[in-house]
Amino acid sequence: MPGLQARRCLRRRPLRAAIPPRHRIPQPVGVLRRPDGLPRSCRRPAARRPDRGAKGIVVDVETLVARLATAPEDVDLVELLGRAQAGKRLAQLAMLAKKQSAEYFSLLSRVQATAPAALRTLLLEPGIVTAARRDTGPVALTAAVLGSVSASVTIRPDSGMIRLPGLGTISLPEPGADPVVCAVRERDGRPEVTVDAAGGTVTLPADLAVATAEWLPLRRITTGTVAPVTVTVATDGLLGDLYPVPADFRGPDADEWTRAFETGWRLLESERPGHAAAIAAGLRAIVPVPPHPDGNVASCTIEGTFGAVYLSFPPDPETLGVTLVHEFQHGKLSAALDLVELYVDDGAATRYAPWRHDPRPLGALLQGVYAHLGVAQFWDSHREVAAERALRAHVEFSRWRDATWQACHGVLDDAAFTPAGRAFITALAAELDALKARPVPGAASDLADRMAADAVVSWRLRNFDLDPAAALGLVDAWHALRPPSRTALRTLAAPAARPRAVSDIRQRMLHRRLAGTLSPSAHDADALWGLGDYARARKVYCDRIRCDVGDLDAWAGLALSVAADDPARGPLRTAPEVIAGTYRELARTGDRPDPLRLSGWFAAC
C-alpha cells in the first residue's frame, strides 16, 4: 500500500509468571493523554499497558528490565528507546496527516521513500507530534527540507508565522492566516526554501543556522568532549504549549542558557562520563520554564516528549547536572513503559513519596524511585570531588539515597507489579542497598535526617486531619481528665477534605545553613530550628500555636523540635494532624492548653 509504511507487528503474548526469554512487544500508537494538573509534570496513568501498534520491536524483556534498572550508562538502551519512540511518532504522524490533508500525507510518504534518514531525524524531535496535532503542513515541509526533497505545499500560517519543528520560525511580511505556497528546491547541494505570500516572496538563507529578518532559527548548544551533545533551546512554543508558561515569561537569553548548560555539562561528563554519554544519546531539547514561586528550580518531563527536559534556569552547575539526570530517568522509564508492562494498578493515590507533597499512585511512585536513584548516584559521585562544598553533596546524597531506599522497599512486595515489574523493582532495591552501605559523615547524616523528618511530618499535616468521628470523644476525655482511648494514633486520622498549606520553610532554612547564610533570630522559630536551637524554637512555636491554632507550619516545627526523651515527641512525629486537630477542637470550647502537654497526653495511646 502506498504511503507511510510500517512493518506488521507480531501478535502480543501476555507475560506469565516467568518472563519469556524473548518477547515480541508491539509498539504503541495511541495518543497518550497529556498530564493534568499544575504544573503538568511527570504524572502517569494508573496502569500503562503496551498498546498495539503498527510497528513491532523485538526486545528481550528480562534484559531490558535489568539494563533499565542497573545501567545508567547504557547508550544502546537509550538508542533502542529512541527508535521505539520514533516508530510510535511515525504512526501518530501518519494518522494525523491522513486525517488533515492528502497533500501533507503524500509529501511525508515521498520523504519516507526517498530520504528515510531525514524522516528518522525529524521523528526524534520531542515536539513533532505536538506540532502535527496543530497542523501537519509545517511538519511535512520540515521533512522535505531535511531530506532535500523538492516539493510545493500549501500551508496556513499562524498569525503570520510558520514554525518548522526543530529548525525555527518563518516570519511573513504581513500577519494573517491566508494560505501560502511553500516550495523546497535543491540548489548547490542544499535545499532552498521559498514562501510565496501576499506581501511578497520570502527566501530562507542557505544556511538555516543564520538568522535573517524573515527567519529565526532555534538556538542549538553543542558542547562536550567525553560525551558530545547537541541540544536545542526550545523557545518556539511547540513544546512550551504543554507546560503552563505565562505569556509574559521572559527568562535568561540563549547566551546565558548556553553558558549554564556548558558548565553543567562539563561537570556531568567529568564526574559521570558514562551517564552523560547515555543522556547525550537521547537528549534533544531543553525547554526553559519559570522557577517555582518560592524561587526553587522547576523541572519536569512530560509524557510523549522523550528527549525533552523542561527546567528553569539553574543557579549552579550541580543543579543543571542533577536535574538532567533526574528528568532523563523519567524520560527513559516513560519510554520503556511503552514496551513493557511493569504494573497493573487501580491508580489510588495513597502512597507516601518523600519528594512530593501529595500521596501518589504506584506508577508515579515508581517513577520517583527511578528518578531519585539517579539523583543519589549523581551526588555520590559529586561528593568525592566537591571540595569546599562537600557537606552539601554528602547531605544531598544521604537525603535522597535514604528517601529512595525507603520508598522502594515500601512497595517491594506490592501485588500490583507484573513479573517484569517485580524484576525491575527488585533490581532497583539492590542498587539502593549498595548505596545504603556507603558511609556518610555524621554531620551530613544528621542534617539529612532532619530534612527527612520534616518531609514526613509536613506530608501528614498537608494530607490528613483528625477524623470528625473521633473529635468529640477526645475533647470529652480531655475535659474529664481521662486518658485517650487506647488505639493506634493514626486510626484517629482521616484524609483531609483538600490538601492543606504547609510550607517548605524548614527545608529552606537547612539549605541556608548549608550555604552559610542562616543567622539566628530570637523571634524566628524556623531559623532557630535550622540552627539547632530547639529549646528556643519550641517556645516560639508554642506561642504561635496559641495565637493561631491553624498554624500548621508551627505544628510541624514543634513536632521536629521536641527533645528525644520527651513523651510528647512520639505522638507529634507519628500523627501530628491528630494532635493539631484535637487542639483546634479544644480551642472551640475556649481551652488552649500547652501544645506539648496535649501531645504528652496522647502518649498513652
Side-chain angles (χ1 to χ4, degrees):
M1 178 180 293
L4 297 174
Q5 299 294 316
R7 293 193 305 272
R8 185 178 179 182
C9 123
L10 298 181
R11 180 172 59 86
R12 177 168 53 125
R13 297 176 305 191
L15 293 176
R16 304 275 195 270
I19 302 172
R22 289 193 68 77
H23 183 69
R24 180 76 170 184
I25 302 179
Q27 168 101 21
V29 297
V31 178
L32 301 179
R33 69 181 180 92
R34 280 171 49 173
D36 49 10
L38 296 176
R40 293 169 179 172
S41 55
C42 186
R43 187 168 292 190
R44 303 282 176 252
R48 279 268 301 281
R49 296 176 181 271
D51 301 321
R52 287 193 185 278
K55 186 170 184 178
I57 292 180
V58 177
V59 294
D60 182 315
V61 173
E62 192 170 1
T63 301
L64 172 67
V65 166
R67 290 164 64 188
L68 189 67
T70 64
E73 73 287 351
D74 194 333
V75 173
D76 290 341
L77 173 62
V78 174
E79 291 177 344
L80 169 68
L81 296 174
R83 290 195 301 273
Q85 290 297 294
K88 172 180 170 181
R89 291 167 184 169
L90 174 63
Q92 293 174 326
L93 185 57
M95 177 182 65
L96 290 165
K98 183 176 285 188
K99 181 179 179 180
Q100 291 178 17
S101 167
E103 180 185 19
Y104 302 158
F105 184 83
S106 175
L107 177 53
L108 286 167
S109 298
R110 282 203 296 124
V111 174
Q112 186 186 35
T114 60
L119 187 60
R120 285 195 296 271
T121 298
L122 181 60
L123 290 169
L124 292 175
E125 286 295 327
I128 192 66
V129 175
T130 302
R133 289 192 186 117
R134 180 184 293 175
D135 185 355
T136 314
V139 176
L141 178 61
T142 303
V145 172
L146 293 174
S148 294
V149 175
S150 295
S152 179
V153 62
T154 301
I155 293 175
R156 187 177 294 276
D158 179 7
S159 301
M161 294 185 293
I162 300 173
R163 293 182 175 88
L164 304 187
L167 293 180
T169 301
I170 303 171
S171 296
L172 302 179
E174 296 180 2
D178 293 334
V180 298
V181 177
C182 304
V184 181
R185 301 176 185 86
E186 188 173 349
R187 182 184 295 273
D188 299 328
R190 287 186 173 186
E192 180 186 70
V193 184
T194 59
V195 182
D196 290 330
T201 299
V202 172
T203 301
L204 302 193
D207 183 355
L208 293 178
V210 175
T212 66
E214 298 86 14
W215 171 248
L216 181 63
L218 288 176
R219 181 65 173 261
R220 280 186 168 78
I221 303 172
T222 298
T223 189
T225 53
V226 178
V229 64
T230 297
V231 298
T232 296
V233 183
T235 55
D236 60 354
L238 295 177
L239 284 165
D241 284 353
L242 300 178
Y243 191 97
V245 177
D248 59 350
F249 169 62
R250 297 291 181 271
D253 63 24
D255 288 338
E256 292 177 274
W257 269 106
T258 298
R259 288 191 292 271
F261 188 88
E262 288 176 345
T263 55
W265 190 259
R266 280 198 298 271
L267 180 145
L268 184 60
E269 69 173 357
S270 68
E271 296 180 10
R272 295 194 63 81
H275 209 150
I279 294 174
L283 185 64
R284 294 291 181 274
I286 55 173
V287 187
V289 300
H292 282 300
D294 62 10
N296 287 328
V297 170
S299 70
C300 77
T301 299
I302 293 180
E303 217 165 9
T305 61
F306 178 75
V309 168
Y310 292 70
L311 74 159
S312 59
F313 194 77
D316 51 53
E318 294 92 340
T319 301
L320 188 282
V322 75
T323 301
L324 290 179
V325 168
H326 176 187
E327 297 302 340
F328 201 73
Q329 290 281 94
H330 279 310
K332 284 198 300 181
L333 182 53
S334 181
L337 286 169
D338 284 339
L339 296 176
V340 59
E341 186 176 50
L342 298 180
Y343 53 89
V344 180
D345 187 39
D346 61 4
T350 58
R351 297 165 177 86
Y352 170 61
W355 39 82
R356 293 284 300 205
H357 288 177
D358 52 339
R360 305 297 280 161
L362 177 63
L365 182 62
L366 183 64
Q367 277 280 353
V369 167
Y370 188 57
H372 284 85
L373 169 62
V375 170
Q377 290 168 335
F378 172 88
W379 287 113
D380 187 33
S381 298
H382 186 60
R383 68 197 184 116
E384 302 297 330
V385 296
E388 69 277 2
R389 302 185 71 178
L391 179 59
R392 176 198 175 190
H394 283 302
V395 170
E396 296 286 4
F397 168 68
S398 180
R399 169 79 176 100
W400 297 119
R401 174 201 63 180
D402 294 351
T404 311
W405 186 94
Q406 174 192 1
C408 180
H409 282 265
V411 296
L412 198 55
D413 298 322
D414 200 302
F417 284 117
T418 64
R422 189 159 306 287
F424 182 63
I425 194 69
T426 300
L428 293 182
E431 292 290 301
L432 288 161
D433 287 344
L435 289 177
K436 191 80 166 149
R438 303 268 286 152
V440 176
S445 180
D446 175 64
L447 285 172
D449 289 346
R450 292 175 66 188
M451 291 179 179
D454 174 62
V456 174
V457 168
S458 299
W459 184 80
R460 291 205 62 87
L461 285 167
R462 286 186 191 99
N463 298 292
F464 294 90
D465 198 354
L466 176 66
D467 188 340
L472 182 60
L474 289 170
V475 170
D476 287 346
W478 172 265
H479 285 154
L481 304 180
R482 298 193 312 269
S485 59
R486 290 186 174 275
T487 183
L489 261 182
R490 288 186 177 176
T491 64
L492 302 175
R498 59 181 179 274
R500 303 186 297 172
V502 182
S503 75
D504 291 322
I505 182 64
R506 291 160 302 284
Q507 300 278 338
R508 295 199 295 273
M509 291 297 170
L510 290 178
H511 280 100
R512 284 177 56 188
R513 176 174 171 177
L514 278 173
T517 60
L518 182 59
S519 301
S521 169
H523 303 292
D524 188 340
D526 299 312
L528 293 169
W529 178 83
L531 291 166
D533 191 345
Y534 301 129
R536 287 204 293 169
R538 279 196 302 273
K539 181 180 184 305
V540 180
Y541 283 133
C542 285
D543 290 344
R544 281 172 52 180
I545 290 169
R546 287 193 184 96
C547 292
D548 180 3
V549 298
D551 186 347
L552 296 183
D553 272 310
W555 279 106
L558 181 61
L560 298 164
S561 303
V562 180
D565 59 353
D566 191 327
R569 178 186 175 99
L572 275 170
R573 291 288 186 98
T574 302
E577 71 283 358
V578 172
I579 317 303
T582 303
Y583 196 94
R584 181 185 65 233
E585 297 303 316
L586 288 171
R588 287 174 178 166
T589 70
D591 190 1
R592 297 193 180 209
D594 179 353
L596 291 175
R597 180 170 160 243
L598 177 64
S599 185
W601 178 69
F602 273 101
C605 284

